[in-house]
Amino acid sequence: MQTYRNTKQRTRILEVLRSTDTHPTAAWVYDRLKFEFPSLSLGTVYRNLTILEEQGSVVRIASGSTFDRYDAVVTPHPHFRCLKCGGLYDTKDMSQDAISYPEKTASGHLITKMVLEFHGTCAPCLEKRPASGEMKI
Amino acid sequence: MQTYRNTKQRTRILEVLRSTDTHPTAAWVYDRLKFEFPSLSLGTVYRNLTILEEQGSVVRIASGSTFDRYDAVVTPHPHFRCLKCGGLYDTKDMSQDAISYPEKTASGHLITKMVLEFHGTCAPCLEKRPASGEMKI
DNA sequence: TCAATAATCGGAACGATTATTAATAATGGA
DNA sequence: TCCATTATTAATAATCGTTCCGATTATTGA
């Protein structure tokens, strides 16, 4: 059994993650901390994010074939993903608390977590484009 | 505007995908077809899966930092993902049809699709492990 | 049939993540 | 407090899924 030690790096990585709601990537956290720890390594960020996930302090949000994102809000909540820019947002007006599901599926799979996502075009990307049709000239 | 052509490879890729409910990866499809097309390239499989997705014949299921999977059932339906083995299953007993959501979020994001996943331990993985506690010896 | 060009093949390139290694530093006990 | 233990770090190499590239081939509409 592995015992975790407290390091400045890990502490700050969690603090940085808790200070934003932008669901950062490992690289974003690294950029944010490399001035504070000039010798910080990207591998350290990755390893600590994995450890923080094991500890339940952080949730990993997979995005398939692009970079993963991390969220320090571990309470289950839905996300909105923009298919144009890849942005990931919280949807504060929506909740998944009311959706109930069984402990096991009919096939006997044990459910421990429900993940709900909405996909589409985010408000900033909508503004960049004409109301309908293709961009002209 | 790009026009699509019909190729044997693309046709067979879609057929193979429609012949299974295992949500295959690109590599799985490639293995399945490389005897039929000895000179088949993995890049061709990837490109065609992307084209089939553009055409709406196939849905990509992202799995973050592991291989993506593809589903020829394009009707929205929830999936179960095993966190032990990475397996992806349909949950035939569950549906997401009853869950309603607005066209736009409060922040103005345009929603075009809802993705619902259940995570946990699948039945085969449950059987491999003792009912509770850690594996002994 | 023929020209235009989309699609293929093979391999190289890419980017996010993980593994490796030696050096460093946090921890618990004497 | 000092020391031994060992988790953690930094730097870099390696991995792996996926995409891109150039030359060739195949499909399509005229």
Side-chain angles (χ1 to χ4, degrees), chain B residues 31-74:
Chain B
D31 284 340
R32 197 78 184 281
L33 287 175
K34 68 182 174 191
F35 299 106
E36 190 172 333
F37 302 96
S39 65
L40 183 66
S41 170
L42 187 54
T44 297
V45 175
Y46 273 107
R47 186 167 20 73
N48 277 309
L49 287 170
T50 302
I51 290 173
L52 289 168
E53 190 189 13
E54 287 172 12
Q55 297 178 334
S57 305
V58 149
V59 165
R60 181 197 304 243
I61 306 170
S63 311
S65 74
T66 62
F67 28 76
D68 288 348
R69 293 173 172 277
Y70 291 86
D71 194 343
V73 179
V74 295

Side-chain angles (χ1 to χ4, degrees), chain A:
Chain A
M1 180 68 120
Q2 161 118 340
T3 62
Y4 294 115
R5 292 176 180 173
N6 291 324
T7 66
K8 297 183 193 70
Q9 289 90 336
R10 186 176 308 150
T11 304
R12 290 293 294 135
I13 287 171
L14 182 55
E15 284 176 4
V16 163
L17 222 59
R18 285 184 170 156
S19 71
T20 181
D21 64 349
T22 59
H23 314 90
T25 65
W28 189 91
V29 173
Y30 171 72
D31 285 340
R32 196 77 185 281
L33 287 174
K34 67 182 175 190
F35 299 105
E36 189 172 332
F37 302 96
S39 66
L40 183 67
S41 170
L42 186 55
T44 297
V45 175
Y46 273 108
R47 189 169 25 71
N48 277 308
L49 286 171
T50 302
I51 290 173
L52 289 168
E53 189 188 16
E54 288 172 10
Q55 296 177 333
S57 305
V58 149
V59 165
R60 181 195 303 240
I61 306 170
S63 311
S65 75
T66 62
F67 28 76
D68 288 348
R69 293 172 171 278
Y70 290 85
D71 193 341
V73 178
V74 295
T75 316
H77 61 283
H79 290 111
F80 177 88
R81 186 184 301 276
C82 179
L83 301 178
K84 292 272 190 288
C85 71
L88 193 70
Y89 303 84
D90 283 323
T91 54
K92 295 195 176 57
D93 52 321
M94 290 193 258
S95 159
Q96 64 188 65
D97 298 344
I99 306 175
S100 65
Y101 54 89
E103 284 191 6
K104 281 198 176 187
T105 72
S107 307
H109 308 318
L110 179 69
I111 299 175
T112 57
K113 188 183 179 186
M114 185 181 83
V115 175
L116 182 62
E117 280 191 11
F118 297 98
H119 293 185
T121 309
C122 71
C125 281
L126 284 174
E127 280 179 21
K128 283 182 211 152
R129 301 172 163 264
S132 69
E134 204 54 47
M135 191 105 76
K136 292 171 184 169
I137 305 269

